[in-house]
Amino acid sequence: MADVASVPRVLRVAHLYPELLNLYGDSGNILVLRSRMAWRGIGCEVREVHVGERPSFSDVDIAFIGGGSDREERIVCDKLLAERAELCSFVEDGGVLAAVCGGYQLLGDSYLMGDERVGGLGLVDLYTDRGTPRLIGNIAVESRISPQPIVGYENHGGRTHLGPGVEPLGRVLYGHGNDGQTGWEGCLYKNVMGTYVHGPLLPKNPGVADHLIRRALERKYGASELDPLDDEEELAANKVMFDRLMAGEVKER
Ligand code: GLN
């Protein structure tokens, strides 16, 4: 019988429209996924989907969408609406989808662009309206998917409201999150994670990166162990920022 541990494991990552949605270094998240897989001997094939190309999700394990301006968000929304049925099957089948800020807003039923309500992908029961001022600054979030608080940066005019069956990614410890009022940040639905956290998100939050990798491995290969990594530098970067925020040492503009 084949030794399960010796079966080569390979995950395919689709990075959707990096030339449009890549605010605050969101593409760095892909580097982190790739590195953390390579360090564990897990193959990682990254496919960038560019404007003019049609994404296919049939052999994708992890899909990633970054954030960006309202204009770029709208272009990406139009592109993905054409693939909505396939994307919906991917999500319902447990495909891993991580989306940041503008990408997160697209997952819902609708969002506001100026005064215009734009139909979203309807993958998760949430919607986004707008408010003033923009919610800008550092953010820290407590989440069940990460052993450390999630730290990063947010900048959005949108206010996102979750439907009753949708779990938030976590609770805001510092900053604004989904709407600046409820104290909730992001969403979790099946293997979808939406969040307002840029930074980029994954370099300082290795627990989030491993959550995505673990879920993708489980879906593809069944129960999968993740070898521990030496995260001393990542965790130090996380801690120094979290401690500074909670001590009130960071001046937000
Ligand atoms: N354009 C959206 C907003 O302002 C998303 C911004 C972003 O991705 N940072 O709400």
Side-chain angles (χ1 to χ4, degrees):
M1 208 169 89
D3 176 4
V4 174
S6 68
V7 174
R9 297 180 296 177
V10 179
L11 294 180
R12 295 200 173 83
V13 177
H15 187 185
L16 301 172
Y17 308 109
E19 66 270 58
L20 292 175
L21 295 184
N22 178 28
L23 201 59
Y24 305 122
D26 285 336
S27 293
N29 293 315
I30 303 295
L31 298 178
V32 171
L33 290 174
R34 193 197 277 281
S35 299
R36 295 186 75 78
M37 289 190 225
W39 293 332
R40 293 171 163 126
I42 302 166
C44 176
E45 293 173 12
V46 177
R47 188 185 312 144
E48 292 188 352
V49 178
H50 296 285
V51 177
E53 293 168 4
R54 288 193 62 181
S56 165
F57 297 94
S58 57
D59 62 351
V60 166
D61 303 300
I62 301 177
F64 175 76
I65 320 176
S69 70
D70 291 357
R71 185 186 146 272
E72 290 163 334
E73 184 177 337
R74 177 90 189 245
I75 297 170
V76 169
C77 190
D78 286 345
K79 304 270 172 227
L80 289 178
L81 276 171
E83 319 299 334
R84 188 185 172 280
E86 208 194 333
L87 197 46
C88 198
S89 308
F90 174 74
V91 165
E92 291 303 309
D93 186 52
V96 175
L97 171 59
V100 175
C101 202
Y104 168 35
Q105 295 173 357
L106 296 183
L107 307 183
D109 294 326
S110 66
Y111 64 95
L112 282 186
M113 193 169 149
D115 292 333
E116 185 192 353
R117 186 159 288 283
V118 179
L121 299 170
L123 302 172
V124 182
D125 181 16
L126 58 84
Y127 72 96
T128 299
D129 52 22
R130 299 188 79 83
T132 49
R134 290 186 72 79
L135 303 177
I136 304 174
N138 289 282
I139 179 167
V141 178
E142 180 181 56
S143 170
R144 70 169 172 83
I145 72 164
S146 173
Q148 295 75 39
I150 300 169
V151 296
Y153 186 77
E154 62 183 326
N155 181 352
H156 49 106
R159 310 299 199 252
T160 296
H161 309 280
L162 305 181
V166 180
E167 181 184 354
L169 171 63
R171 193 169 64 86
V172 175
L173 301 174
Y174 181 99
H176 306 287
N178 280 346
D179 58 9
Q181 296 195 332
T182 54
W184 297 127
E185 200 313 286
C187 76
L188 292 171
Y189 170 73
K190 293 189 180 258
N191 284 334
V192 177
M193 181 194 71
T195 179
Y196 274 111
V197 181
H198 291 280
L201 169 69
L202 300 184
K204 280 186 213 163
N205 301 294
V208 179
D210 284 355
H211 169 83
L212 301 174
I213 295 168
R214 193 177 296 109
R215 286 301 176 91
L217 288 174
E218 281 167 7
R219 173 174 179 248
K220 192 164 191 176
Y221 298 106
S224 286
E225 288 301 312
L226 272 191
D227 295 336
L229 297 176
D230 176 3
D231 285 332
E232 196 182 330
E233 290 186 16
E234 290 84 345
L235 297 182
N238 176 293
K239 184 171 174 358
V240 81
M241 200 60 216
F242 181 69
D243 289 349
R244 288 183 65 205
L245 293 177
M246 298 318 279
E249 288 173 14
V250 177
K251 196 165 176 294
E252 307 290 351
R253 66 185 180 98

